[in-house]
Amino acid sequence: MKAPEVSFEFFPPQNLQASFRLWDTVQVLAPLDPRFVSVTYGAGGTTRDLTRDAVATLHKSSGLKVAAHLTCVNATKEETLEIADGFAKSGVTEIVALRGDPPKGEGRFTQYPGGFANSIELIEALAATGRFKIRVGAYPDVHPEAASAQADIDWLKRKLDAGADEALTQFFFESETFFRFRDACEKAGIDGSRITPGILPIENWKGARNFARGCGTTIPQWVEDAFEKATRDGREDLLATAICTELSSELIEGGVERLHFYTMNRPELTRDVCHALGVTPKVSLENVA
Ligand code: FAD
């Protein structure tokens, strides 16, 4: 089995302690030579400044290729493009372009006065600048707001046609979910190799289950049962590593060459899964001699 190329997603730290944790996470995962690392943009645009600072600092200090997430929420078009311009000026020219979720408690996305109405408008505006590599979100379990699975895929095709280079998926639990989705995308004229599966190493089952329910990810009964037992036995990490490694291996066997890990700023599970998949630290012979 060929080792996959990997990328890692972080969220911006909210305080000094969290900054140290992110830095520790980067130190553990950077030797795995990721394609890129990305930094999220809090729901409702709440972490705008933190995201900007985190991507600029990571870009300057880690030597890694950094992608900034950007959403259409709570900002005019001019403000959103100014933020993108700031990313580019700090050397960050990769963007994960999203419509975004509203702030907690606000229910559905609503267009901000003078803001982008949807992700496609944002992608088109970013692509028109010619400055960015653009990635977008995709939903193997179908986005909760999609009229149908086919409508979701048609919308993804429009995002790619609007100028996006690649799609990163929401997490899912079974490889068949991804393969079904990739097949349907290919039928709709999307090159399946442009879709990179998103993998969540489950640090915290309760949190992951709530998140899955919120974003429409189907939780198979066997996963519920296995975590219930593992939680009782204090073996959640072992189970999470096993599930995640198995899922990733099946994806690679099925032709996937890249994986995107949702690290939750905790490196251990992601590192262990990567090692199991043959993604190991790049050691320079010069350093060993
Ligand atoms: P879109 O793909 O534009 O819309 C989602 C679905 O709704 C579509 O697939 C389509 O079926 C339907 N839809 C939407 N608009 C229309 C329309 N006009 N006509 C027809 N159908 C439509 N959220 C954050 O707040 N910050 C982040 O940093 C962040 N990072 C993410 C990273 C990844 C890899 C993923 C997968 C998601 C991320 N999210 C983030 C969550 C994301 O913002 C939510 O899932 C949001 O609800 C949808 O954003 P989107 O850009 O994927 O939306």
Side-chain angles (χ1 to χ4, degrees):
M1 191 174 76
K2 188 168 176 274
E5 287 191 285
V6 294
S7 51
F8 303 124
E9 184 168 306
F10 306 130
F11 53 81
Q14 305 259 7
N15 55 45
L16 189 60
Q17 200 185 3
S19 301
F20 279 106
R21 193 168 107 193
L22 173 57
W23 193 244
D24 286 347
T25 302
V26 171
Q27 296 304 305
V28 173
L29 297 179
L32 300 179
D33 196 22
R35 272 197 309 146
F36 67 93
V37 298
S38 76
V39 180
T40 61
Y41 195 83
T46 44
T47 65
R48 190 178 302 174
D49 295 344
L50 294 171
T51 300
R52 184 198 57 211
D53 293 348
V55 294
T57 307
L58 278 176
H59 171 73
K60 212 163 109 196
S61 314
S62 71
L64 298 171
K65 188 154 269 194
V66 181
H69 293 217
L70 183 62
T71 74
C72 308
V73 178
N74 257 348
T76 63
K77 293 181 189 182
E78 286 70 28
E79 286 165 344
T80 305
L81 291 176
E82 247 169 55
I83 296 165
D85 182 56
F87 292 148
K89 284 192 174 131
S90 68
V92 172
T93 55
E94 304 204 1
I95 289 186
V96 181
L98 302 140
R99 185 200 67 186
D101 279 329
K104 269 199 183 99
E106 270 191 30
R108 288 181 83 88
F109 169 86
T110 41
Q111 182 180 5
Y112 190 76
F116 291 109
N118 55 51
S119 58
I120 290 176
E121 284 192 4
L122 172 62
I123 294 159
E124 282 171 346
L126 291 173
T129 69
R131 295 164 98 186
F132 300 105
K133 183 178 182 81
I134 303 168
R135 296 187 178 87
V136 294
Y139 300 89
D141 269 310
V142 186
H143 190 278
E145 289 170 48
S148 67
Q150 188 56 47
D152 215 19
I153 289 168
D154 293 343
W155 187 255
L156 173 61
K157 173 131 185 1
R158 287 184 58 190
K159 294 202 287 189
L160 292 163
D161 290 347
D165 299 281
E166 181 182 342
L168 306 171
T169 79
Q170 189 54 275
F171 74 99
F172 52 89
F173 287 104
E174 293 181 313
S175 55
E176 298 79 54
T177 307
F178 178 79
F179 293 135
R180 233 186 348 259
F181 176 66
R182 190 180 61 180
D183 287 350
C185 285
E186 286 183 336
K187 248 195 196 149
I190 297 171
D191 174 359
S193 71
R194 290 170 77 186
I195 307 171
T196 302
I199 306 287
L200 177 69
I202 299 163
E203 289 280 345
N204 169 334
W205 171 237
K206 255 193 181 164
R209 188 171 51 186
N210 286 342
F211 187 47
R213 284 177 182 157
C215 67
T217 294
T218 306
I219 307 170
Q221 191 58 46
W222 68 266
V223 174
E224 289 267 17
D225 295 345
F227 269 103
E228 193 183 313
K229 187 163 183 316
T231 307
R232 244 183 1 239
D233 300 347
R235 289 168 168 260
E236 283 158 288
D237 278 5
L238 206 62
L239 177 67
T241 308
I243 286 183
C244 200
T245 304
E246 176 81 4
L247 171 62
S248 303
S249 304
E250 287 173 11
L251 291 169
I252 295 163
E253 299 282 343
V256 165
E257 294 181 349
R258 299 183 305 253
L259 298 171
H260 181 69
F261 286 90
Y262 294 103
T263 72
M264 310 304 283
N265 294 12
R266 296 210 176 261
E268 292 83 8
L269 288 185
T270 298
R271 176 202 57 202
D272 292 350
V273 173
C274 285
H275 284 184
L277 298 173
V279 181
T280 49
K282 303 281 173 288
V283 181
S284 152
L285 284 178
E286 278 172 35
N287 297 338
V288 182

